[in-house]
Amino acid sequence: MDHHANFVPWQVLAMRRGASFRLCELTPDGRIDLDYLSSLLNERTRIVAFSHVSNALGTINPVHEIVRLVREKSDAIIVCDGAQSAPHFPVAFDTMGVDFYAFSGHKMLGPMGIGGLIGKREMLENMPPYQTGGDMIEFVHDDRTTWNVLPHKFEAGTPNAANAVGLAAAVDYLEAIGMDKVRSHERQLMSVAQQRLSAIEGLRIYGPPADERSGVVSFTLADVHPHDLATILDGDGVCIRAGHHCAQPLMRRLDVPATARASFYVYNDESDIDALVDGILKAKEIFGDVPAQAARG
């Protein structure tokens, strides 16, 4: 769904190599248009990259269906951005069918500045190192160098040991809760949140139904700019994100300059939804919209 981290690198690579950089369109409810995706694929397709879950819409994309379409029409390498899926529900790389899967530590209660890239062994074996330095070598000759075994071949230099320990602690914490329970908790909160928000006049929610998204909901409120809404909510101790969510191409597809986004995770409960709704109703009063008491009624 056009997150810059899984957009700009491929855009830059295409420009460097003279390749075509093609974008898949979305359905009106914020899903990947699979028919359009199929029309993009052919024997010249080299890489297909997509987000497992949209950070802006919460849409959970159908990995197996995407993989099936790609495999039927091309030999492309399939790259899945899992930054928004690994923290929210069980993920099994070996059953997904993708070639590479990336995730980020700070999205799953871990430290910033660390993440993971999982790849099929045969591809990693054939890839040269992208960085050189200590510990990624096997033997250095005067005229050539041979590489260490996986994963050390891609771990050049002094390891980020402190963050690795922190990420491991986050993984242990989530596994102790149980990823199925994490997913169930989010679904329950999203169902309530989407129901409560949908009842607010002038509020528009973007993306699919609650049971088909992760724990985020993006919305706009009439003519109130998301940044103004976020400021009002912040004054009442409610933290949301407002802006383009590092997905400017997606905002253009939605035909909005920005959205407000509320996120729910293992540490949230229904009292947070109450605070969010009360803050939005307060914003409606401040901006002279429908009186909050009437909206509550």
Side-chain angles (χ1 to χ4, degrees):
M1 303 296 180
D2 305 334
H3 191 287
H4 299 165
N6 194 37
F7 189 102
V8 177
W10 307 118
Q11 186 184 58
V12 171
L13 177 63
M15 293 171 64
R16 288 176 177 171
R17 299 300 296 268
S20 297
F21 179 68
R22 308 180 71 181
L23 309 179
C24 184
E25 295 298 335
L26 304 180
T27 62
D29 59 352
R31 308 169 197 260
I32 289 178
D33 187 328
L34 294 175
D35 290 334
Y36 193 91
L37 173 62
S38 181
S39 73
L40 293 176
L41 300 168
N42 58 54
E43 68 278 0
R44 292 175 58 83
T45 306
R46 291 293 175 262
I47 296 174
V48 174
F50 67 97
S51 296
H52 195 172
V53 175
S54 167
N55 76 305
L57 300 179
T59 306
I60 302 174
N61 289 315
V63 175
H64 293 100
E65 185 65 14
I66 293 170
V67 170
R68 182 186 65 79
L69 288 174
V70 175
R71 299 298 186 213
E72 285 179 355
K73 291 197 168 187
S74 75
D75 294 323
I77 295 171
I78 304 177
V79 182
C80 181
D81 175 1
Q84 299 290 338
S85 56
H88 298 285
F89 50 80
V91 174
F93 174 75
D94 291 339
T95 66
M96 294 174 69
V98 301
D99 298 305
F100 293 93
Y101 178 91
F103 66 94
S104 176
H106 76 284
K107 298 292 184 182
M108 52 193 300
L109 307 177
M112 292 182 287
I114 191 168
L117 176 65
I118 307 170
K120 289 184 176 178
R121 175 170 291 275
E122 60 270 24
M123 290 194 171
L124 294 173
E125 293 283 9
N126 289 327
M127 288 171 56
Y130 73 99
Q131 286 182 321
T132 57
D135 204 40
M136 46 73 62
I137 57 93
E138 177 189 43
F139 195 85
V140 178
H141 303 269
D142 286 352
D143 58 346
R144 70 189 188 282
T145 297
T146 55
W147 312 127
N148 204 343
V149 298
L150 296 173
H152 306 286
K153 181 171 74 169
F154 298 107
E155 298 283 347
T158 303
N160 187 2
N163 278 9
V165 172
L167 179 56
V171 171
D172 290 342
Y173 177 80
L174 290 174
E175 287 188 340
I177 295 174
M179 295 309 298
D180 287 324
K181 290 183 178 180
V182 172
R183 175 68 176 138
S184 176
H185 179 69
E186 284 188 7
R187 275 188 168 178
Q188 180 180 358
L189 290 179
M190 284 304 303
S191 179
V192 174
Q194 204 150 345
Q195 181 180 14
R196 296 283 305 279
L197 293 173
S198 297
I200 299 176
E201 185 178 351
L203 188 144
R204 178 182 177 185
I205 295 175
Y206 297 87
D211 61 347
E212 299 177 32
R213 66 162 76 214
S214 69
V216 300
V217 56
S218 286
F219 57 91
T220 53
L221 179 65
D223 294 329
V224 180
H225 195 284
H227 287 147
D228 292 331
L229 178 59
T231 299
I232 293 170
L233 289 170
D234 182 61
D236 286 341
V238 179
C239 180
I240 67 168
R241 181 172 175 180
H244 54 68
H245 314 295
C246 295
Q248 290 177 343
L250 174 61
M251 296 297 111
R252 289 195 295 272
R253 284 162 179 70
L254 299 177
D255 196 27
V256 293
T259 66
R261 186 191 70 188
S263 303
F264 301 95
Y265 201 34
V266 295
Y267 37 70
N268 293 113
D269 56 33
E270 289 193 23
S271 68
D272 296 310
I273 299 173
D274 294 337
L276 172 65
V277 170
D278 287 345
I280 293 172
L281 295 175
K282 178 180 178 180
K284 288 171 67 68
E285 287 184 310
I286 291 173
F287 284 95
D289 205 339
V290 179
Q293 189 60 45
R296 289 190 183 97

